[in-house]
Amino acid sequence: MSRSSKILPGVLVTSALLLTSIGLGTVGAASAPRTTATAVHPGHVRAVSTASSPEDPDGDGYIPANPPVTGATPSTQDPPHRYFHEFQANCSVSHTRPDDPIVYPQQPGKSHDHTFMGNTTTDAGSTTASLSAGGTTCKAPGDLSGYWMPTLYNNDRQILPVGPQVIYYKAGVTDYTSVRPFPKGLRFVVGNPMQSADEFRHHRGFVEGWECGDSYFNTEFPASCPDRADVQLNIRFQAPSCWDGKYLDTPDHKSHMAYPVVKPGTNDNMCPADHPVAVPMIEFKMAFPVNGDMSQVRLASGPGHSFHYDFFNAWDDRTLKALVDHCVVGGLQCDARGYDQTHPEAGAALNADYRLP
């Protein structure tokens, strides 16, 4: 079967254009040459754009890795226990826009509104090359990646995170020494704006849901939060950390990635056989400056349980490898410089300017 004729499980290829406005945006008859309807969750269907782009000229949704990773097998090793194996990417909000270069490439205005962090140039036309030539709001200049999520509103007022937000890069598998950097151009969507509240609550990426004050594990926004200057609305959500080694993107923007599985007879996490490459597990830890009456708080994608986010890797290869090797493989708890204050003898991966020394 040729790559252009592949159909992912749950994907129904339709000849007619989808004209309905849904959580991922509105697809119009004059602007989207092809669309697939994807049954991502039971009872939910969402549009998946298959418009062509410079990185996917045939518009089939598959972007092959070049080169692919071959011969990889999931690691079953159990290295010496280290409680931490992570570093942070601290990135501020750069802009908002109704664009999504992963779901709706080359189709400006087709998505619900997104809040973008990291790369300052991210828009509907973004490619690996354009991001690599852009600027960044991240502390590490080598992190030119695009990070985005649906914009939060209180009534019709945008509520944007203030200052650097915490984006963790962690080991999602027990063998933290097997984690390797993302390939340049890897992109994926975490979560689904069409998910139900129950699906959101039981998503593999769910950590503690929406939090404010002493209220947590909420699938929807709390009705109210303590009206104090030190209280914000928070959420943490984790991404899959196993890659198939073949594609930088797939039509549903998810199937090339997978969450770890439990090694039989143990409590160890390992990558599944069809996604054998362990990569960093991204965890968004976002803080929104809103409290008090929360009854009018919503996401651009809908209610609180529609939360999801996107990642488009454009790290400088050498910088990302230095941080992954030093902090994740090295079993450290690092800041954005790759420095673990509890292990000063290990030094830092980056210098005081957050660049490679």
Side-chain angles (χ1 to χ4, degrees):
M1 182 181 290
S2 67
R3 177 166 58 88
S4 60
S5 62
K6 289 181 180 177
I7 300 178
L8 294 173
V11 176
L12 307 175
V13 179
T14 63
S15 58
L17 294 174
L18 192 64
L19 302 179
T20 305
S21 176
I22 63 170
L24 287 176
T26 304
V27 180
S31 58
R34 286 186 294 171
T35 306
T36 62
T38 306
V40 181
H41 297 279
H44 293 281
V45 177
R46 66 182 175 88
V48 177
S49 169
T50 55
S52 63
S53 70
E55 294 178 291
D56 181 22
D58 61 4
D60 71 351
Y62 290 91
I63 301 178
N66 185 21
V69 175
T70 59
T73 56
S75 174
T76 59
Q77 300 301 307
D78 190 359
H81 176 72
R82 299 297 292 267
Y83 191 77
F84 295 105
H85 10 69
E86 65 184 45
F87 67 91
Q88 296 183 19
N90 296 146
C91 307
S92 301
V93 170
S94 57
H95 60 289
T96 65
R97 189 172 305 206
D99 288 357
D100 191 325
I102 296 177
V103 178
Y104 292 114
Q106 311 301 314
Q107 299 175 72
K110 290 298 177 184
S111 174
H112 53 244
D113 201 70
H114 282 110
T115 294
F116 292 90
M117 297 170 290
N119 201 292
T120 58
T121 69
T122 312
D123 61 18
S126 291
T127 63
T128 304
S130 72
L131 293 177
S132 297
T136 185
T137 64
C138 300
K139 285 186 177 179
D143 187 3
L144 296 168
S145 300
Y147 308 89
W148 61 96
M149 59 192 169
T151 298
L152 187 82
Y153 291 89
N154 190 4
N155 286 311
D156 292 324
R157 182 170 62 91
Q158 289 184 343
I159 305 296
L160 304 180
V162 177
Q165 299 299 294
V166 178
I167 301 168
Y168 288 109
Y169 282 62
K170 301 182 177 183
V173 294
T174 298
D175 184 7
Y176 55 87
T177 68
S178 69
V179 176
R180 65 178 75 186
F182 295 118
K184 183 72 72 69
L186 183 73
R187 68 210 72 179
F188 51 81
V189 179
V190 183
N192 175 16
M194 301 299 291
Q195 64 206 351
S196 69
D198 186 67
E199 288 165 341
F200 176 60
R201 176 64 182 84
H202 293 96
H203 194 284
R204 288 287 304 277
F206 189 94
V207 181
E208 293 182 348
W210 294 102
E211 304 175 85
C212 69
D214 295 327
S215 179
Y216 52 91
F217 284 115
N218 297 294
T219 56
E220 309 299 348
F221 301 120
S224 64
C225 292
D227 190 2
R228 303 197 313 263
D230 63 334
V231 173
Q232 298 191 77
L233 179 69
N234 297 274
I235 191 167
R236 294 167 58 193
F237 210 79
Q238 298 178 341
S241 57
C242 297
W243 177 46
D244 67 5
K246 300 175 183 178
Y247 296 108
L248 301 178
D249 197 10
T250 44
D252 68 351
H253 315 298
K254 296 182 180 184
S255 296
H256 53 311
M257 302 298 297
Y259 285 91
V261 296
V262 177
K263 179 181 174 182
T266 73
N267 292 320
D268 294 347
N269 289 325
M270 58 181 287
C271 285
D274 56 354
H275 292 74
V277 184
V279 292
M281 184 269 284
I282 287 180
E283 178 183 304
F284 267 33
K285 185 179 180 182
M286 304 288 111
F288 301 88
V290 61
N291 54 34
D293 179 11
M294 303 282 288
S295 62
Q296 300 302 309
V297 173
R298 61 181 174 85
L299 292 170
S301 54
H305 68 255
S306 71
F307 181 79
H308 58 287
Y309 63 86
D310 301 51
F311 169 66
F312 195 139
N313 176 43
W315 273 90
D316 169 71
D317 290 334
R318 292 178 59 243
T319 304
L320 179 59
K321 178 173 173 52
L323 286 164
V324 170
D325 288 352
H326 186 69
C327 302
V328 180
V329 175
L332 299 174
Q333 184 184 25
C334 295
D335 59 16
R337 280 188 59 218
Y339 177 74
D340 184 343
Q341 63 181 357
T342 64
H343 290 280
E345 74 283 356
L350 307 179
N351 63 23
D353 294 324
Y354 298 89
R355 300 177 184 272
L356 286 172

